[in-house]
Amino acid sequence: MKLPLIYSILSITLLFTSCNQLSKEEQEFDLLMQKVIDVHDEVMPKMGEMSSLIKDLETKIDTTSQGKSYAKAQQDVKDSYDFMMTWMSDFSDKFPYESKENKVDAEKLSSQMELLKKEEVKVNKLRDQINSSIKNAKQLLKKS
């Protein structure tokens, strides 16, 4: 999943930087794309940790109120994990690999910029959800 996303992003970046002179809009797009990718790159390494937390929480789940709090924490981590997987897939669909020969017109760039702004909001929400679910799960496991 990570490689297609990286290839898509690199190709978009190459597409926009293939011209000697980038327009102001292209520069803004590239900057925003880099912000989105930076957030992705920040949380991607946490996927393994999330898988481990899901397994660790599983052993603590039972019908007691404490066990239910483990179940809730586990579900929050699972939801964060699923959110990341869905976001990456959706992002790759919205920003697919494009050949360098394809010129991007101003209208397409404008619509892509609007999509990218929405993706920035989503990826920031994703980062916050992942960090929060990991933090809560670790605190709960530390208490046991």
Side-chain angles (χ1 to χ4, degrees):
M1 181 57 80
K2 187 175 180 183
L3 285 178
L5 179 65
I6 291 171
Y7 288 139
S8 296
I9 292 162
L10 287 175
S11 64
I12 290 170
T13 302
L14 286 173
L15 176 69
F16 289 119
T17 59
S18 63
C19 300
N20 290 343
Q21 183 78 24
L22 292 178
S23 70
K24 180 183 176 197
E25 292 81 14
E26 289 169 326
Q27 290 174 6
E28 289 174 7
F29 181 89
D30 286 349
L31 285 172
L32 186 55
M33 177 64 79
Q34 190 57 53
K35 283 182 180 180
V36 170
I37 297 311
D38 288 346
V39 174
H40 165 270
D41 291 349
E42 175 188 333
V43 295
M44 187 66 198
K46 296 178 181 185
M47 297 298 283
E49 181 179 14
M50 293 168 66
S51 293
S52 294
L53 286 169
I54 290 167
K55 289 176 187 171
D56 292 345
L57 289 163
E58 184 68 36
T59 64
K60 306 282 187 181
I61 296 173
D62 59 29
T63 58
T64 66
S65 63
Q66 185 64 30
K68 289 178 183 178
S69 64
Y70 289 116
K72 166 88 170 80
Q74 183 191 47
Q75 189 60 53
D76 290 346
V77 175
K78 283 180 178 179
D79 290 346
S80 296
Y81 188 96
D82 291 345
F83 187 11
M84 177 66 162
M85 298 305 287
T86 301
W87 180 84
M88 288 190 302
S89 177
D90 290 348
F91 188 84
S92 294
D93 290 344
K94 291 174 185 170
F95 297 95
Y97 172 77
E98 291 183 5
S99 164
K100 285 191 245 182
E101 291 84 40
N102 294 343
K103 288 262 186 187
V104 177
D105 61 30
E107 187 176 312
K108 182 172 182 181
L109 182 61
S110 177
S111 71
Q112 288 290 89
M113 187 64 158
E114 289 306 310
L115 276 176
L116 191 55
K117 287 177 183 177
K118 291 176 184 174
E119 291 305 309
E120 180 187 28
V121 171
K122 284 183 195 174
V123 79
N124 286 326
K125 180 181 176 188
L126 170 65
R127 178 194 56 213
D128 295 344
Q129 183 175 331
I130 287 173
N131 289 336
S132 175
S133 68
I134 288 173
K135 180 182 174 186
N136 291 338
K138 283 181 168 182
Q139 286 176 341
L140 192 58
L141 287 168
K142 191 181 243 185
K143 291 178 186 177
S144 60

